[in-house]
Amino acid sequence: MRIVSEIKIAESNNITVHVPDDMINKEIEIIVKETKKNHTFNAFRINTRQNKFNREEANER
């Protein structure tokens, strides 16, 4: 089984799908589904493993 995936924006009720030459005259399955939006979370990581917690220092006033 060979899979060809293509994401398009539906601008009308008709969509043209291009298939490779070796798939011509063969039975293929076309699935149309709504994709979820890609939510990105841009964050940074801080390595705190080398830090030591000092309760006395934290409670000093």
Side-chain angles (χ1 to χ4, degrees):
M1 177 171 67
R2 184 169 161 200
I3 298 174
V4 176
S5 176
E6 193 174 324
I7 297 175
K8 293 186 172 230
I9 296 175
E11 297 174 352
S12 70
N13 290 345
N14 299 317
I15 294 180
T16 303
V17 178
H18 297 278
V19 295
D21 290 338
D22 61 330
M23 289 185 169
I24 295 175
N25 293 325
K26 294 185 178 175
E27 185 175 299
I28 61 172
E29 177 181 10
I30 298 172
I31 299 172
V32 177
K33 68 174 191 166
E34 184 178 359
T35 59
K36 295 180 181 178
K37 292 183 179 181
N38 291 337
H39 296 288
T40 58
F41 179 70
N42 294 325
F44 59 92
R45 293 178 184 236
I46 300 174
N47 185 359
T48 59
R49 291 184 183 183
Q50 72 275 2
N51 297 348
K52 302 221 182 223
F53 178 73
N54 184 336
R55 186 177 308 278
E56 299 299 322
E57 181 182 342
N59 290 324
E60 284 181 1
R61 295 189 188 225

